[in-house]
Amino acid sequence: MDRNYHVFSDGRIERKDDTLRVVTDDGEKKHIPIEHAEAVFLHGQIDYNTRLIGFLNDHGVAAHVFGWNDRYSGSLMPERGQTSGRTLVEQVRAYDDPDHRRDLAASFVAGSIHNMRANVTYYNGRGHDLSRVITDLDNASERISSGMRVEELLGVEATARRAYYQTFDAVLPEAFALEGREYNPPPNPVNSLISFGNALVYANCVSAIRATALDPAVSYLHEPGERRYSLSLDLADLFKPLLADRVLFRLVNRKQITTDDFRQEVGACLLTEDGRTTYTRAFEETLEETVEHPNLKRKVSYQYLLRLEAYKLKKHLVAGEPYEPFKKWW
Amino acid sequence: MSGECNDQQDPVNRLLATARGDAVANPFRVTGVMMQYYYVCQRELWFASRNLEIDRENSAIVRGTRVDDSSYGDRGEENLRLGMISLDLLEDGRVVEVKPSSALTEPARMQLSYYLWYLDRVAGVERDGVLAHPTERRREDVELTPERAKKVEDAIRKIHEIVSDESPPEPEEKPFCDSCAYHDLCWC
């Protein structure tokens, strides 16, 4: 499976013959084999030109851009194969049909709660008593009913996530107390890690969605907003526990990330470059982990699970076959 | 009069009218690939008719494109496009269809038969065909007999039925599913 490449330094990314080349401001040159790239993630201040865009397009490689505070600020998406009026029409139709939209929103919430529960169950069996959180998640799950409005479903999701976040304080050392989820900007290390991880999950979902001709701005659980890819938010919720949260728990508990990996900046707590590098490496390793897929009958990477989710949604919208949200099955 | 009305409903006539550029209320197109899919997998046909994207990195797709390009590089580079059909190449006045292997011969034979039928009915040109498997150095002559022409027309009607359906036919495990570009979309 193709992988992501991250550029943290400032400099320039360019086409050099038939490869991608990063030239950093201190003169270091790195090559990225484009045949094996899914996307490049640009975290630093990077220059590029139109020749690069054409080259990325020819190889179907996306470039995701991150700004200050590791906030996702946009993507250069390959054009190839991503235009399908019929798909967009079906996608909007489903949004416009209250019952259909509700069913999809309910699926996303059910899947998200299931995947949060999978993480809690794991730590519950490892010296932490999290049975209360499990009960809360199960209650939230049972509240999902077909008659619910989307706002109510969002409420169920929010309640579940609040309960789920208690796991963080139970499992993580004191220096990484969550003290409630806050972002814009994140006030402490664990909030900062959650934000960074979620942004990576989100950008990977943008890539997966854009590989299918679905429009990333037309969503079901989240309200289609302006200036953001809200369908990516719908899908990202399913995968945050598996990807972002697992990496966070692992790195902090193994002391691979410590409070030294953060710096305080006008009310924000941000990862240092070292911290981001450590996190990103672990995140990419997680994306490359594989699991036996019961229907495809072969091993697939976690990253490919995102692509499959986009396929499933598209198939549901265009072919009318039922949509089953991703629920960790192992 | 009523007979004429029925004719307009017949997919074969609609296809021919569409191909000839007549003003048709409901144009109907069948590409060579659709004809092939009809014989390979009807679910694949439905997906393709909806432009559901295929996995372009799929090794069979990459291989097919490469065999096409490399075996007849100098002549085959520009496919001959004729309305709905796209011929691999013409050789001594014969239509040659290039396939990487002879694993699915009947679908390829029908694809080629459809080209011959189309050339005959739309352009008024009678041609013979050759099915070529350059990697196996094997060739097979294909001729548009009346039986084949009827088979083509029956297939066009069935294709119309399938692609008009709201949903695709149920998935069905076939020996070549593993190498299909729609495999993951189908089974995910």
Side-chain angles (χ1 to χ4, degrees):
Chain A
M1 182 62 199
D2 294 343
R3 48 168 294 200
N4 295 324
Y5 293 88
H6 294 260
V7 181
F8 289 103
S9 33
D10 297 345
R12 176 172 181 77
I13 183 163
E14 58 195 12
R15 175 179 184 171
K16 172 68 183 160
D17 301 325
D18 279 324
T19 56
L20 279 177
R21 186 167 77 170
V22 177
V23 184
T24 61
D25 282 350
D26 45 28
E28 203 187 329
K29 288 175 185 162
K30 275 182 219 143
H31 290 269
I32 297 173
I34 195 155
E35 309 80 58
H36 302 121
E38 168 86 14
V40 287
F41 287 62
L42 307 178
H43 301 268
Q45 291 294 316
I46 308 285
D47 291 342
Y48 63 86
N49 61 17
T50 51
R51 197 159 165 259
L52 175 90
I53 298 176
F55 188 55
L56 292 174
N57 191 36
D58 290 345
H59 289 85
V61 174
H64 300 298
V65 180
F66 291 80
W68 181 79
N69 196 3
D70 301 316
R71 294 255 303 170
Y72 173 81
S73 50
S75 303
L76 293 167
M77 294 302 308
E79 185 273 340
R80 185 182 68 178
Q82 279 152 7
T83 319
S84 161
R86 188 192 301 266
T87 304
L88 181 57
V89 168
E90 294 298 345
Q91 194 184 347
V92 174
R93 260 192 200 145
Y95 166 77
D96 227 21
D97 171 348
D99 291 339
H100 198 168
R101 180 182 174 186
R102 221 162 33 204
D103 288 349
L104 282 169
S107 295
F108 290 134
V109 174
S112 299
I113 295 177
H114 176 99
N115 295 326
M116 289 190 255
R117 193 186 190 282
N119 274 359
V120 183
T121 315
Y122 175 81
Y123 283 101
N124 189 49
R126 299 192 132 217
H128 305 282
D129 181 13
L130 295 164
S131 50
R132 178 73 191 281
V133 178
I134 293 175
T135 309
D136 287 349
L137 290 179
D138 288 342
N139 289 341
S141 204
E142 278 163 26
R143 277 176 56 209
I144 302 171
S145 68
S146 55
M148 266 186 164
R149 286 178 293 123
V150 172
E151 305 88 87
E152 293 176 290
L153 287 163
L154 274 167
V156 172
E157 208 269 348
T159 309
R161 205 161 283 272
R162 233 182 346 264
Y164 170 64
Y165 278 132
Q166 293 170 24
T167 312
F168 285 60
D169 281 331
V171 166
L172 297 174
E174 202 147 318
F176 281 83
L178 175 66
E179 293 161 348
R181 175 76 179 117
E182 277 182 61
Y183 39 95
N184 274 343
N188 56 30
V190 70
N191 268 294
S192 173
L193 281 172
I194 295 174
S195 291
F196 188 54
N198 288 352
L200 293 181
V201 175
Y202 172 84
N204 276 285
C205 287
V206 174
S207 272
I209 291 165
R210 289 297 292 264
T212 65
L214 287 169
D215 190 310
V218 178
S219 53
Y220 303 100
L221 175 60
H222 295 84
E223 196 58 42
E226 286 173 33
R227 293 182 300 162
R228 61 175 195 171
Y229 290 144
S230 41
L231 184 61
S232 241
L233 297 175
D234 284 1
L235 289 196
D237 274 355
L238 294 171
F239 290 96
K240 284 171 186 173
L242 176 73
L243 300 170
D245 301 343
R246 266 179 39 141
V247 169
L248 187 161
F249 291 144
R250 199 166 64 227
L251 289 176
V252 172
N253 282 332
R254 291 183 188 164
K255 299 190 173 55
Q256 287 166 278
I257 281 195
T258 67
T259 45
D260 293 342
D261 288 307
F262 299 86
R263 61 173 205 276
Q264 222 40 58
E265 206 175 275
V266 278
C269 178
L270 301 178
L271 273 162
T272 60
E273 185 160 335
D274 270 359
R276 286 190 298 184
T277 308
T278 306
Y279 185 95
T280 308
R281 188 175 301 133
F283 187 88
E284 291 300 332
E285 281 167 11
T286 305
L287 283 179
E288 286 169 32
E289 276 180 44
T290 58
V291 59
E292 180 74 26
H293 193 288
N295 298 341
L296 301 184
K297 299 194 175 79
R298 65 162 202 269
K299 287 193 160 198
V300 297
S301 68
Y302 287 6
Q303 174 151 35
Y304 196 65
L305 290 176
L306 305 183
R307 175 78 71 92
L308 288 174
E309 207 57 21
Y311 279 168
K312 274 156 58 180
L313 185 58
K314 171 152 180 173
K315 184 168 63 167
H316 165 73
L317 293 170
V318 179
E321 295 180 356
Y323 170 74
E324 276 297 322
F326 164 67
K327 289 182 174 174
K328 190 175 181 236
W329 64 80
W330 63 97
Chain B
M1 272 294 128
S2 66
E4 205 168 293
C5 189
N6 278 339
D7 276 352
Q8 278 300 312
Q9 293 309 312
D10 180 21
V12 175
N13 289 337
R14 270 171 57 198
L15 184 151
L16 287 172
T18 308
R20 289 174 186 139
D22 298 351
V24 201
N26 42 2
F28 177 52
R29 293 186 172 77
V30 172
T31 64
V33 167
M34 285 167 75
M35 179 61 69
Q36 187 201 0
Y37 286 168
Y38 172 68
Y39 283 97
V40 173
C41 170
Q42 301 184 359
R43 187 171 163 89
E44 185 177 25
L45 167 66
W46 193 95
F47 282 152
S49 75
R50 298 303 197 268
N51 285 320
L52 278 146
E53 58 284 305
I54 51 170
D55 175 8
R56 278 162 215 279
E57 287 128 56
N58 176 288
S59 54
I61 296 280
V62 173
R63 183 165 162 249
T65 315
R66 217 166 29 218
V67 168
D68 220 7
D69 289 348
S70 63
S71 304
Y72 297 91
D74 46 342
R75 294 168 296 174
E77 230 163 87
E78 297 271 315
N79 283 1
L80 186 59
R81 288 197 57 88
L82 247 172
M84 307 171 191
I85 62 172
S86 170
L87 308 176
D88 278 352
L89 67 141
L90 282 166
E91 194 183 84
D92 308 328
R94 293 188 304 173
V95 181
V96 182
E97 175 60 24
V98 184
K99 290 287 171 211
S101 88
S102 51
L104 295 166
T105 307
E106 182 58 11
R109 212 178 274 137
M110 285 308 294
Q111 180 180 354
L112 181 52
S113 302
Y114 174 59
Y115 291 158
L116 302 177
W117 176 88
Y118 188 97
L119 284 173
D120 180 72
R121 302 294 198 274
V122 176
V125 194
E126 272 184 52
R127 286 280 185 268
D128 284 336
V130 181
L131 206 54
H133 308 291
T135 50
E136 299 169 11
R137 300 184 176 282
R138 250 170 34 83
R139 313 187 119 216
E140 173 193 322
D141 293 331
V142 175
E143 203 184 315
L144 186 69
T145 59
E147 296 75 50
R148 269 199 174 275
K150 178 166 187 315
K151 207 174 164 191
V152 167
E153 289 171 14
D154 289 345
I156 289 170
R157 294 189 183 99
K158 293 272 180 45
I159 289 171
H160 181 265
E161 214 171 283
I162 290 161
V163 303
S164 306
D165 226 319
E166 285 284 299
S167 294
E170 292 282 306
E172 209 181 297
E173 185 112 44
K174 297 183 175 182
F176 39 82
C177 272
D178 279 350
S179 58
C180 174
Y182 288 99
H183 177 272
D184 290 0
L185 182 70
C186 209
W187 298 102
C188 69

